[in-house]
Amino acid sequence: MYDFAIIGGGIVGLATGMALVEKYPNARLVVLEKESSLAYHQTGHNSGVIHSGIYYKPGSMKARLCREGSRSIVEFCQKYNIAHEVCGKVIVATQEKELPLLENLYQRGLENGLKVAKITAEQVKEIEPYVTCLAGIQVFTTGIVDYRQVCQKYGELIQSQAGEICLGTKVEKIIATDNSQILETNKGKFETKFTINCAGLYSDRIAKLGNANPEAKIIPFRGEYYELVPEKRFLVKGLIYPVPNPAFPFLGVHFTRMIDGSVHAGPNAVLSLKREGYKKTDFDLRDFSEIITYPGLWKLAAKYADEGIQEIIRSFSKAAFVRSLQQLIPQVQAEDVVPAGAGVRAQALMNDGKLVDDFLIIQARNTLHVCNAPSPAATSSIEIGKAIAQQISLS
């Protein structure tokens, strides 16, 4: 029998496993991952940004764990020689109406205890010469990394403490006994004293298998990216973000220099018709039926109809996507960008149409379910893992 079984081999599941084997070095732990490799879905399609925590509501779990996580992930990368860079970023206002929002964001950064500075348009140009704006904020603690490499190291550290990682192992049923759970998988049964659900895009379904009610459904949103052709990468030195619309839950199209030197532009955010739908043509009947019949989706769509239409237009029109990029860097032309990979965000949505804004962790008898951990979960992963380990006692 295992002491702990973690469902999901993404960055949150692995960070949790790492924290548990550190806290309980003699415990038997197994990570069950349905894919053939770790970090296959959200983590592996991540933008690679080490977020500062500027966007999140002061006092929230996201704000606290992101601020602490941005430090601990950098320390982790330094310790294990994982390529990373604390390059900072600029957030810029390109219209007069955005200036008050920029000021609000600056104040939020201060409330969250971050190193931020208000900068003029001229100062922005000293950092990003090709950006046109009215004013900006410099966020000093933002960085970049390859989270797949981070996950590989998490996995190695779990295994170095005798933890097990089982790939290609899909949990299909959870049977509760008096003092344990039996996890039935496509590769046999695993009995465990405690189960931690870090299944990401399927976390709500796994919670229900474990007779827990997350009171929210995972709705998949696909983020589609372009990237600058190599000869145009000089246009972007680091990370360039617009002022986000506070009435819309996504950050807007931005430029991100990746750790390999490439520059990604995006993402837009459109509803995916499959939980793991990385292409426009991807479709799953069960996923689609669940999404389209969920009352919360229609309430969300009604609230953000205008923004949603613009996202869909950008998804199907390269010209519209490029116009969004030109608001930040006017020199960017359609021929300067080519399609890049997409990611899918697992966003928990309540029945009343409200997006779950913070991380959502639900504890039940001998189980714990991470039911909402979108961005900045990768940045916060070490701290999320520690927080989960603190909630679990081995009795």
Side-chain angles (χ1 to χ4, degrees):
M1 181 189 293
Y2 292 95
D3 295 295
F4 305 110
I6 296 170
I7 303 173
I11 198 164
V12 173
L14 293 168
T16 300
M18 187 173 65
L20 285 169
V21 296
E22 185 173 328
K23 183 179 180 182
Y24 301 109
N26 297 318
R28 290 197 66 203
L29 179 143
V30 64
V31 178
L32 306 177
E33 167 54 49
K34 69 182 178 67
E35 302 295 353
S36 59
S37 63
L38 298 174
Y40 194 88
H41 287 293
Q42 288 189 97
T43 307
H45 294 82
N46 191 289
S47 65
V49 176
I50 301 172
H51 289 285
S52 65
I54 191 171
Y55 300 108
Y56 313 117
K57 182 179 178 181
S60 67
M61 192 183 300
K62 271 189 179 182
R64 178 173 58 84
L65 296 185
C66 186
R67 183 184 66 246
E68 295 169 1
S70 66
R71 288 195 291 264
S72 56
I73 199 81
V74 168
E75 291 169 0
F76 184 88
C77 291
Q78 290 171 339
K79 182 176 181 179
Y80 294 105
N81 296 315
I82 296 171
H84 69 288
E85 182 184 351
V86 182
C87 54
K89 77 173 179 182
V90 293
I91 304 171
V92 299
T94 59
Q95 303 176 55
E96 287 283 346
K97 66 180 181 181
E98 294 175 342
L99 292 174
L101 302 177
L102 188 72
E103 176 64 25
N104 292 342
L105 197 58
Y106 171 71
Q107 294 299 329
R108 175 161 284 193
L110 295 179
E111 288 181 66
N112 283 332
L114 304 179
K115 185 181 178 183
V116 293
K118 289 193 284 188
I119 52 178
T120 65
E122 292 74 20
Q123 290 172 312
V124 170
K125 281 207 174 281
E126 292 175 8
I127 302 166
E128 293 289 350
Y130 298 94
V131 168
T132 297
C133 68
L134 301 177
I137 299 171
Q138 186 172 9
V139 185
F140 294 91
T141 54
T142 303
I144 50 176
V145 72
D146 182 344
Y147 283 114
R148 281 184 181 271
Q149 291 184 24
V150 173
C151 280
Q152 290 303 318
K153 180 53 67 174
Y154 286 0
E156 289 172 16
L157 292 172
I158 290 170
Q159 291 173 317
S160 71
Q161 293 274 38
E164 298 177 37
I165 295 176
C166 297
L167 300 175
T169 307
K170 181 180 180 181
V171 174
E172 298 171 339
K173 191 174 183 180
I174 300 176
I175 300 169
T177 67
D178 288 341
N179 297 304
S180 68
Q181 293 97 41
I182 297 171
L183 309 182
E184 293 189 358
T185 77
N186 60 325
K187 291 191 175 178
K189 297 179 181 180
F190 296 78
E191 188 173 7
T192 179
K193 295 178 182 176
F194 201 99
T195 301
I196 302 105
N197 165 18
C198 298
L201 285 155
Y202 293 93
S203 58
D204 56 341
R205 289 185 186 171
I206 294 294
K208 289 178 180 178
L209 287 181
N211 292 316
N213 181 11
E215 298 183 353
K217 185 177 289 295
I218 294 296
I219 302 296
F221 287 93
R222 185 174 59 255
E224 298 163 332
Y225 286 86
Y226 284 84
E227 66 176 305
L228 290 177
V229 296
E231 56 269 28
K232 292 292 183 175
R233 290 176 181 172
F234 70 88
L235 292 171
V236 177
K237 304 298 181 186
L239 307 179
I240 306 165
Y241 281 64
V243 178
N245 179 353
F248 195 55
F250 302 101
L251 295 180
V253 171
H254 49 269
F255 290 95
T256 304
R257 179 171 290 278
M258 311 291 277
I259 198 66
D260 64 2
S262 63
V263 177
H264 283 209
N268 64 338
V270 293
L271 184 68
S272 175
L273 303 183
K274 181 181 179 182
R275 292 204 181 201
E276 295 166 354
Y278 299 103
K279 301 175 183 176
K280 292 182 178 70
T281 54
D282 284 344
F283 178 85
D284 180 89
L285 182 58
R286 179 184 176 187
D287 293 349
F288 173 74
S289 299
E290 278 190 1
I291 293 166
I292 212 72
T293 58
Y294 188 56
L297 175 68
W298 294 104
K299 293 169 185 174
L300 179 75
K303 184 176 181 180
Y304 298 117
D306 292 343
E307 293 89 347
I309 289 169
Q310 292 304 312
E311 297 289 340
I312 293 169
I313 290 171
R314 271 198 292 266
S315 177
F316 286 93
S317 169
K318 182 179 182 180
F321 202 109
V322 170
R323 283 196 295 273
S324 294
L325 300 177
Q326 289 171 337
Q327 291 179 19
L328 297 172
I329 300 180
Q331 290 94 326
V332 173
Q333 301 299 314
E335 61 268 23
D336 298 336
V337 295
V338 293
V344 179
R345 173 188 178 118
Q347 176 62 56
L349 178 65
M350 306 295 286
N351 194 63
D352 62 4
K354 291 181 180 177
L355 292 162
V356 178
D357 189 45
D358 209 350
F359 297 138
L360 177 61
I361 299 175
I362 299 169
Q363 191 158 3
R365 185 173 180 269
N366 298 328
T367 60
L368 186 145
H369 303 275
V370 182
C371 290
N372 193 57
S375 181
T379 300
S380 312
S381 58
I382 292 174
E383 301 305 321
I384 294 173
K386 289 177 182 177
I388 290 173
Q390 287 171 1
Q391 293 183 43
I392 299 171
S393 59
L394 191 58
S395 56

